[in-house]
């Protein structure tokens, strides 16, 4: 796999650009993935979903389960896009290909074998929706073009609002920001486990971290 670094938020680290094409960094070799321990969301995940009034998605990874609720009223384009990939099973057997401790974990761009995920047309940026890149939120990755997000998403593992929100220029001089469209309601410990895995010099996990499947619960 190759990674393009179109938005160097800090010069020593490359983040949140949607990877693919134009890059020259060598990816890590694929590693065998153990079988999925379950094909359904856990009772705790279902309970968290039932307690939410929003659309929810359950994702099972090699590090555990994550359930997110989605802010369709505030991010209609982004949520519809995310659910389109979920419904088409395009996130099944995909990698978390970029992990940066104390910042974000990013996935949705590559299969476990290293192939690019088939993408739909890019979407309009919805970073001006009142949602902030705080710990536990899910947002869309993009290139330097603000309206370029497709399949790749990231979880904020810490409060990145001062860096990634619209109008902030610390990490992106344009101030366009990154569109948050939901938050973790169960499985934040899984996000933290992924954030703690060993990575190489390209911020790619040394052992594949895989999303087995992603399913919309409601």
């Amino acid at each position: 796999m190759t990674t393009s670094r179109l938005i160097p938020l800090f010069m020593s680290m490359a983040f949140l650009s949607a990877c693919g094409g134009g890059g020259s960094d060598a990816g890590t070799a694929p590693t065998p993935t153990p079988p999925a321990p379950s094909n359904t969301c856990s009772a705790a995940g279902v309970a968290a979903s039932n307690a939410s009034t929003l659309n929810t998605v359950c994702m099972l990874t090699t590090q555990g389960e994550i359930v997110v609720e989605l802010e369709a009223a505030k991010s209609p384009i982004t949520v519809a896009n995310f659910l389109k990939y979920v419904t088409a099973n395009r996130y099944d057997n995909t990698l978390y290909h970029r992990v940066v401790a104390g910042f974000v974990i990013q996935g949705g761009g590559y299969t476990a074998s290293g192939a690019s995920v088939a993408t739909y047309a890019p979407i309009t940026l919805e970073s001006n929706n009142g949602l902030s890149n705080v710990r536990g939120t899910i947002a869309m990755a993009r290139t330097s073009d603000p309206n370029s997000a497709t399949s790749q998403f990231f979880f904020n593992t810490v409060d990145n609002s001062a860096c990634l929100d619209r109008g902030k220029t610390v990490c992106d001089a344009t101030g366009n920001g990154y569109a948050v469209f939901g938050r973790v309601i169960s499985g934040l410990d899984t996000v933290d486990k992924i954030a703690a895995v060993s990575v190489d010099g390209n911020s790619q996990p040394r052992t594949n971290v895989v999303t087995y499947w992603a399913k919309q619960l409601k």
Side-chain angles (χ1 to χ4, degrees), residues 3-213:
T3 59
S4 59
R5 299 184 171 191
L6 300 182
I7 306 177
L9 301 185
F10 298 106
M11 293 307 294
S12 61
M13 296 182 269
F15 310 81
L16 308 191
S17 60
C19 299
S24 59
D25 297 322
T28 54
T31 53
T33 303
S38 174
N39 292 318
T40 58
C41 200
S42 70
V46 171
S49 172
N50 290 339
S52 173
T53 60
L54 306 176
N55 293 126
T56 58
V57 167
C58 185
M59 312 169 78
L60 183 64
T61 80
T62 48
Q63 300 296 316
E65 183 181 273
I66 303 170
V67 181
V68 294
E69 62 178 13
L70 308 175
E71 293 275 5
K74 295 182 178 180
S75 304
I77 296 171
T78 311
V79 169
N81 176 72
F82 183 72
L83 290 177
K84 190 174 181 180
Y85 284 96
V86 170
T87 301
N89 301 317
R90 302 249 176 126
Y91 290 135
D92 293 8
N93 297 308
T94 56
L95 295 173
Y96 279 89
H97 63 273
R98 184 172 290 163
V99 171
V100 184
F103 193 53
V104 303
I105 60 173
Q106 182 175 340
Y110 299 96
T111 68
S113 63
S116 296
V117 169
T119 59
Y120 300 110
I123 60 173
T124 301
L125 180 66
E126 292 183 305
S127 59
N128 195 25
N129 59 10
L131 300 176
S132 186
N133 284 274
V134 297
R135 172 170 162 77
T137 54
I138 184 172
M140 293 304 296
R142 58 173 176 79
T143 69
S144 56
D145 177 353
N147 301 311
S148 61
T150 54
S151 65
Q152 293 189 37
F153 59 86
F154 63 91
F155 287 102
N156 287 290
T157 64
V158 297
D159 184 351
N160 290 315
S161 57
C163 178
L164 301 181
D165 282 3
R166 189 176 183 89
K168 307 298 183 181
T169 57
V170 174
C171 301
D172 178 7
T174 68
N176 287 312
Y178 292 81
V180 173
F181 62 98
R183 66 186 59 81
V184 176
I185 56 174
S186 180
L188 191 56
D189 59 326
T190 298
V191 172
D192 291 338
K193 288 178 183 177
I194 296 173
V197 301
S198 176
V199 298
D200 64 17
N202 296 319
S203 299
Q204 294 176 9
R206 297 184 186 279
T207 300
N208 282 353
V209 178
V210 176
T211 295
Y212 289 116
W213 48 258

